[in-house]
């Protein structure tokens, strides 16, 4: 699929089937996150994949993930991130957002619904 078509097609999904996300698809999504650009290539993010019933139940206490069978939590490490020298602003939120965008776009390309949550 061409990128612009993919970007236009992607939308937030808030009702999910309970199908298991295949390992091959999850691996592709994680690879898309891995290659996401980050400031000075610092790669200050970490990903947490939650797909067990117990883990999803715990997650539901803090966020409405709309019953998705899998969640990928993008975490940023403020201690290991590029800091702009002129204003001392760290880029952790920008980097994490770019990673999340790669995740939802790859999911769409694989025929999976997603919803980006803050």
């Amino acid at each position: 699929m061409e990128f612009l078509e993919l970007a236009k097609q992607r939308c937030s999904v808030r009702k999910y089937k309970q199908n298991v996300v295949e390992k091959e698809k999850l691996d592709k999504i994680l690879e898309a996150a891995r290659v996401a650009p980050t400031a000075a290539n610092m790669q200050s993010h970490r990903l947490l994949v939650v797909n067990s019933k117990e883990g999803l139940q715990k997650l539901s206490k803090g966020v409405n993930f709309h019953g998705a069978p899998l969640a990928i939590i993008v975490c940023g490490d403020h201690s290991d991130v590029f800091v702009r020298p002129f204003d001392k602003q760290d880029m952790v939120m920008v980097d994490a957002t770019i990673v999340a965008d790669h995740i939802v776009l790859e999911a769409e390309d694989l025929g999976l619904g997603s919803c980006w949550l803050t």
Side-chain angles (χ1 to χ4, degrees), residues 75-94:
C75 306
D77 183 352
H78 287 277
S79 69
D80 185 29
V81 67
F82 177 76
V83 177
R84 288 189 308 218
F86 63 89
D87 66 357
K88 307 300 183 216
Q89 179 67 43
D90 79 39
M91 296 291 104
V92 74
M93 290 297 289
V94 173

Side-chain angles (χ1 to χ4, degrees), residues 61-109:
K61 294 177 183 179
V63 66
N64 182 2
F65 60 95
H66 307 286
L70 177 139
I72 300 173
I73 302 170
V74 181
C75 306
D77 183 352
H78 287 277
S79 69
D80 185 29
V81 67
F82 177 76
V83 177
R84 288 189 308 218
F86 63 89
D87 66 357
K88 307 300 183 216
Q89 179 67 43
D90 79 39
M91 296 291 104
V92 74
M93 290 297 289
V94 173
D95 289 349
T97 301
I98 294 169
V99 169
D101 196 45
H102 271 60
I103 288 169
V104 299
L105 288 170
E106 181 63 24
E108 180 67 31
D109 194 46

Side-chain angles (χ1 to χ4, degrees), residues 18-88:
Q18 291 306 300
N19 301 357
V20 172
V21 176
E22 297 93 338
K23 181 181 181 328
E24 296 78 21
K25 289 184 178 181
L26 177 57
D27 288 346
K28 285 183 178 184
I29 291 168
L30 295 175
E31 178 67 5
R34 187 189 71 77
V35 300
T38 58
N41 198 31
M42 294 291 292
Q43 304 279 320
S44 63
H45 58 279
R46 304 296 177 265
L47 302 176
L48 178 61
V49 177
V50 181
N51 58 3
S52 71
K53 188 172 183 173
E54 178 185 355
L56 292 168
Q57 284 177 337
K58 288 180 182 179
L59 183 62
S60 71
K61 294 177 183 179
V63 66
N64 182 2
F65 60 95
H66 307 286
L70 177 139
I72 300 173
I73 302 170
V74 181
C75 306
D77 183 352
H78 287 277
S79 69
D80 185 29
V81 67
F82 177 76
V83 177
R84 288 189 308 218
F86 63 89
D87 66 357
K88 307 300 183 216

